[in-house]
Amino acid sequence: MSDEQGKPDATEASAPETEPVGRHARVVLVDDHRMFRTGVQAEIGRTETTGVEVVGEAADVDQAVTVITATRPEVVLLDVHLPGGGGVEVLRRCAPLMAAADNPVRFLALSVSDAAEDVIGVIRGGARGYVTKTITGTDLVDSIFRVQDGDAVFSPRLAGFVLDAFASTDAPPVDEDLDRLTQREREVLRLIARGYAYKEIAKQLFISVKTVESHVSAVLRKLQLSNRHELTRWATARRLV
């Protein structure tokens, strides 16, 4: 039900066999699950071997913007689903850092989700790549340095529909129905479809239960659905869960 499911156990992940790389990348980890951040830190943060130095961590949007602004890393590993507005909101608020002429901050999405909506959303927001949490430590280190160099990096299966989405200059929106929803409404929709109660959603998004109810009502009205069961089926059919 939650993003915890499907995340790789750090104790099962293979240790990177990277030789000393002679280069260096300062990285910030943004993920709302502390144990996952700890696992990634243990996997790639052995600077003398990997060349990656983890200079900060954050668990929600506000923390992420604060830490990224303070540390100015070369690369941010960014989860897509975060309390406070999601990875897209982090990208929006860090846009000036991404556009900096000197030492721009670059973002690599690292998520359990392989949904087209999530991938296209963060790429449109300015991320330089998107890899899933099944990636090995060695490949993640390689992806970090490629993003630092300005390359675009995607898990192989994701690269195909990213290319399809941007292949035509007159391509329609990914989903016209979904485009009617605000970012916050999409977050509420996704959590409802995952089976969260209103109270749980309110806690995760730092909003009131009444606000959650208002967002659900707006989503149902915009999508012309009658109840949360229809909403769940709608989200599942679009692989938004």
Side-chain angles (χ1 to χ4, degrees), residues 202-217:
K203 183 177 181 181
Q204 182 158 341
L205 299 181
F206 302 114
I207 58 180
S208 69
V209 172
K210 187 173 182 180
T211 301
V212 174
E213 293 172 348
S214 296
H215 285 312
V216 172
S217 295

Side-chain angles (χ1 to χ4, degrees), residues 3 7 30-32 77-82 87 110-111 133:
D3 272 355
K7 288 181 176 179
V30 181
D31 193 290
D32 58 334
L77 294 180
L78 179 67
D79 195 8
V80 174
H81 303 299
L82 291 169
L110 175 61
S111 175
K133 290 179 176 177

Side-chain angles (χ1 to χ4, degrees), residues 183-197:
Q183 181 61 33
R184 179 49 58 89
E185 289 168 348
R186 295 183 191 191
E187 292 174 337
V188 172
L189 162 66
R190 184 175 287 106
L191 293 173
I192 286 287
R194 289 177 178 175
Y196 283 85

Side-chain angles (χ1 to χ4, degrees), residues 43-218:
E43 186 74 5
I44 70 172
R46 293 174 289 107
T47 309
E48 69 283 1
T49 301
T50 64
V52 173
E53 179 187 4
V54 178
V55 297
E57 299 182 14
D60 59 38
V61 170
D62 287 341
Q63 286 181 14
V65 174
T66 298
V67 171
I68 293 166
T69 302
T71 60
R72 292 294 296 264
E74 279 87 21
V75 178
V76 177
L77 294 180
L78 179 67
D79 195 8
V80 174
H81 303 299
L82 291 169
V88 171
E89 179 65 13
V90 176
L91 292 164
R92 186 186 69 78
R93 292 168 60 178
C94 290
L97 300 179
M98 287 190 282
D102 296 326
N103 302 317
V105 177
R106 294 191 166 103
F107 288 78
L108 173 63
L110 175 61
S111 175
V112 71
S113 171
D114 61 358
E117 159 65 14
D118 290 333
V119 179
I120 301 304
V122 296
I123 297 306
R124 282 176 170 166
R128 296 293 304 176
Y130 194 116
V131 295
T132 60
K133 290 179 176 177
T134 57
I135 193 171
T136 66
T138 301
D139 287 343
L140 182 56
V141 169
D142 178 66
S143 298
I144 289 169
F145 285 122
R146 289 172 60 194
V147 167
Q148 182 186 27
D149 290 340
D151 293 343
V153 178
F154 297 95
S155 296
R157 199 179 75 79
L158 305 183
F161 61 72
V162 171
L163 290 173
D164 290 343
F166 290 94
S168 174
T169 55
D170 60 353
V174 174
D175 189 314
E176 292 183 357
D177 289 334
L178 194 60
D179 282 351
R180 296 191 184 100
L181 306 183
T182 66
Q183 181 61 33
R184 179 49 58 89
E185 289 168 348
R186 295 183 191 191
E187 292 174 337
V188 172
L189 162 66
R190 184 175 287 106
L191 293 173
I192 286 287
R194 289 177 178 175
Y196 283 85
Y198 285 8
K199 186 175 180 180
E200 294 173 312
I201 296 172
K203 183 177 181 181
Q204 182 158 341
L205 299 181
F206 302 114
I207 58 180
S208 69
V209 172
K210 187 173 182 180
T211 301
V212 174
E213 293 172 348
S214 296
H215 285 312
V216 172
S217 295

